[in-house]
Amino acid sequence: MTTAPPWRQNLRLLATHPDVHARIVCIPPAGGGASFFHPWAADLPPGFELWAVQLPGREDRLGDPPLSDLLLAARRVAAALQWLVDRPYVLFGHSMGALVGYEAARILATQRVPGPRHLFASGCTPPDRHVPNDEPLSSPQQVIDELRRIGFSSDALDDPETRAVVIPAIQHDLRMFYSYAHRPGQQLTCPITVLVGGEDPHVPAADSPGWSRHTTAPVRTGVLPGDHYYLLDSHPEIIARISSSLTG
């Protein structure tokens, strides 16, 4: 039995245009799959491809055991990205996805593999400000309560059949996110843009400049209307910022 290459396992192509000159690779928040970024396809500029990370335990990988180690997730993403380095690319990660993207970029740097031209860290405090939390979130209700605490709003959480399908992946992702502890060492050399929702109660905009401790390149910050999931309504502006970072 042939094992699929890392990009086929862990990445999904959401949209493309002729004469591709750059790629946007998105990493979803805890519990999210590649389809989280499907709405972005309609606003993709000419010449770009849109890719999204698909970690195990969700959507078309529902039968694969979920991960509980963020660095392992980052290693899998880094291995997949090596198949895309023939074009410039930007990494965009939201919440947990921002940490996965950051760590994946660090791994590529240590391996001397071309990394992202730009990292967009959305809805996430600087890695060294992340405080590990060993709360087990052992029951489905604890997971639902935590999702609602951080601002996730979906009728799917009220449906028992849907909960039975999605809660295991979310539970592992939250453990992965909350157990993460930053390790000093490799700095990035690409610019970082930090975006947060102005009404996000969990990610203060005042913390955004702290990402400058993690790269030797410039760090830009931006505040957009909305809460922790501000990007659901702001993706056209976000895509414009991303494309500008590659073409400007």
Side-chain angles (χ1 to χ4, degrees):
M1 181 175 175
T2 303
T3 302
W7 74 264
R8 192 177 297 277
Q9 290 179 316
N10 298 295
L11 292 173
R12 299 291 178 269
L13 178 60
L14 302 184
T16 188
H17 288 300
D19 301 320
V20 171
H21 59 74
R23 296 183 170 112
I24 302 170
V25 183
C26 301
I27 310 175
S35 67
F36 185 87
F37 293 100
H38 270 151
W40 292 35
D43 297 290
L44 190 67
F48 280 76
E49 276 187 345
L50 178 66
W51 293 75
V53 167
Q54 187 79 300
L55 292 177
R58 66 215 70 207
E59 297 181 355
D60 61 353
R61 301 193 66 189
L62 195 60
D64 297 338
L67 303 177
S68 296
D69 183 332
L70 191 140
L71 293 181
L72 176 56
R75 284 195 289 273
R76 294 195 180 184
V77 172
L81 290 172
Q82 294 186 44
W83 294 75
L84 302 183
V85 297
D86 62 317
R87 301 283 192 280
Y89 68 94
V90 160
L91 279 182
F92 176 95
H94 181 67
S95 196
M96 183 192 80
L99 291 179
V100 173
Y102 161 73
E103 289 291 355
R106 293 178 89 193
I107 291 167
L108 292 173
T110 62
Q111 296 174 345
R112 304 195 178 199
V113 174
R117 293 288 182 91
H118 206 109
L119 172 65
F120 279 75
S122 167
C124 188
T125 56
D128 58 333
R129 290 290 304 273
H130 185 85
V131 179
N133 182 347
D134 293 328
E135 290 291 330
L137 297 174
S138 55
S139 74
Q141 189 57 51
Q142 285 178 309
V143 175
I144 292 169
D145 291 345
E146 179 63 10
L147 287 172
R148 292 207 160 115
R149 185 188 73 81
I150 63 176
F152 183 81
S153 177
S154 173
D155 293 339
L157 297 178
D158 297 321
D159 178 62
E161 291 185 4
T162 303
R163 285 203 305 264
V165 172
V166 303
I167 288 299
I170 297 174
Q171 189 171 31
H172 281 82
D173 280 3
L174 290 176
R175 287 175 181 167
M176 182 160 56
F177 180 59
Y178 290 140
S179 64
Y180 170 79
H182 180 257
R183 302 155 301 127
Q186 182 69 49
Q187 275 191 309
L188 300 183
T189 57
C190 67
I192 298 176
T193 292
V194 187
L195 300 175
V196 299
E199 291 79 49
D200 188 336
H202 312 292
V203 183
D207 286 350
S208 296
W211 277 89
S212 63
R213 296 188 292 272
H214 302 284
T215 183
T216 59
V219 169
R220 303 183 184 96
T221 63
V223 180
L224 297 177
D227 58 16
H228 189 62
Y229 291 96
Y230 77 93
L231 71 168
L232 296 176
D233 298 316
S234 300
H235 64 268
E237 180 173 347
I238 295 170
I239 292 172
R241 292 186 185 218
I242 292 173
S243 61
S244 176
S245 75
L246 282 169
T247 59

